[in-house]
Amino acid sequence: ETGVTQTPRHLVMGMTNKKSLKCEQHLGHNAMYWYKQSAKKPLELMFVYSLEERVENNSVPSRFSPECPNSSHLFLHLHTLQPEDSALYLCASSPLAGDSIQYFGAGTRLSVL
Amino acid sequence: KNQVEQSPQSLIILEGKNCTLQCNYTVSPFSNLRWYKQDTGRGPVSLTIMTFSENTKSNGRYTATLDADTKQSSLHITASQLSDSASYICVVSAQNAGNMLTFGGGTRLMVKP
């Protein structure tokens, strides 16, 4: 266990559905991240939060909407997704949004039908 | 453009054998380089992290090397075990980038009995 918990582990949704991914860390870290991992592609950084404020948004489509209510929780709200959004979504945390090792959750495997 | 290239893309070895994975990067200015291990269905877990002044670092049967002049790193696995079967991801961090990481595509290692 890395101290970063993601739920659900698997999610299947239609293109018209609305769902949310949840990430929780018990490490006392101040920075949290969302990554997308598609087959045979490097991890892609989606969002970075530092002290509950978004500090990075790598041109992610608006159908992905992050929320960070406190330093321990991070959500990714999904709506009107496309089949190409099917991927493994990984959450990570680190002590600060600086240069430090990131601790990853196990990911949510998302399939969009 | 910052890039991290890993080779080979996939590798099959017999249990007990050694292997070496390669990572070439063009990230500048360089801050540090990390190797992560990602088991199937799980998030990446950090193996080693090296800064500019470090040439080698070990973690059990894993030894990472770094040549900052040629911008190359390698991960050597000694006496491989079945549990070493995973993807190994090279990640490079740039200075002044707010913890922006550049991920390699990974090497998928399979250790067979």
Side-chain angles (χ1 to χ4, degrees), chain B residues 6-113:
Chain B
Q6 291 187 243
S7 62
Q9 283 192 338
S10 61
L11 182 62
I12 301 174
I13 62 173
L14 293 176
E15 186 179 12
K17 297 296 185 182
N18 304 335
C19 68
T20 300
L21 314 181
Q22 300 291 342
C23 173
N24 296 338
Y25 62 91
T26 59
V27 177
S28 181
F30 176 84
S31 177
N32 61 63
L33 183 147
R34 316 157 200 215
W35 282 94
Y36 281 86
K37 177 187 179 187
Q38 185 176 16
D39 293 311
T40 301
R42 294 192 172 273
V45 175
S46 178
L47 292 175
T48 64
I49 179 170
M50 289 184 292
T51 58
F52 184 87
S53 59
E54 295 174 296
N55 299 118
T56 184
K57 184 165 281 189
S58 293
N59 179 358
R61 293 179 297 102
Y62 301 103
T63 299
T65 65
L66 173 65
D67 186 334
D69 292 329
T70 61
K71 297 186 178 181
Q72 295 179 324
S73 175
S74 66
L75 181 68
H76 187 74
I77 304 175
T78 305
S80 61
Q81 300 177 359
L82 298 180
S83 59
D84 293 330
S85 295
S87 287
Y88 292 84
I89 304 172
C90 177
V91 185
V92 183
S93 175
Q95 295 180 17
N96 307 320
N99 202 33
M100 292 306 105
L101 306 178
T102 304
F103 288 80
T107 292
R108 179 132 193 92
L109 174 66
M110 182 179 296
V111 180
K112 289 193 168 183

Side-chain angles (χ1 to χ4, degrees), chain A:
Chain A
E1 283 298 325
T2 62
V4 180
T5 304
Q6 290 187 242
T7 55
R9 292 295 310 277
H10 303 274
L11 179 62
V12 179
M13 58 187 290
M15 289 190 284
T16 58
N17 291 156
K18 288 184 180 181
K19 297 285 184 183
S20 295
L21 310 185
K22 179 182 177 182
C23 176
E24 187 174 357
Q25 57 96 0
H26 306 281
L27 302 169
H29 291 169
N30 290 315
M32 297 186 76
Y33 313 79
W34 279 117
Y35 288 90
K36 176 183 179 183
Q37 188 175 36
S38 303
K40 298 183 180 179
K41 284 186 176 182
L43 271 74
E44 301 170 54
L45 178 65
M46 299 176 72
F47 301 103
V48 180
Y49 276 83
S50 176
L51 297 172
E52 301 149 45
E53 287 191 20
R54 188 191 304 180
V55 297
E56 182 74 25
N57 175 359
N58 280 355
S59 302
V60 178
S62 59
R63 57 186 184 268
F64 295 92
S65 174
E67 178 190 0
C68 188
N70 55 63
S71 59
S72 299
H73 294 86
L74 185 65
F75 295 90
L76 187 62
H77 303 299
L78 316 171
H79 66 95
T80 58
L81 294 191
Q82 305 298 311
E84 60 265 29
D85 296 324
S86 298
L88 180 68
Y89 288 85
L90 290 163
C91 172
S93 72
S94 64
L96 296 171
D99 208 357
S100 54
I101 294 175
Q102 295 181 15
Y103 295 80
F104 286 84
T108 294
R109 174 67 64 185
L110 174 67
S111 296
V112 181
L113 305 178

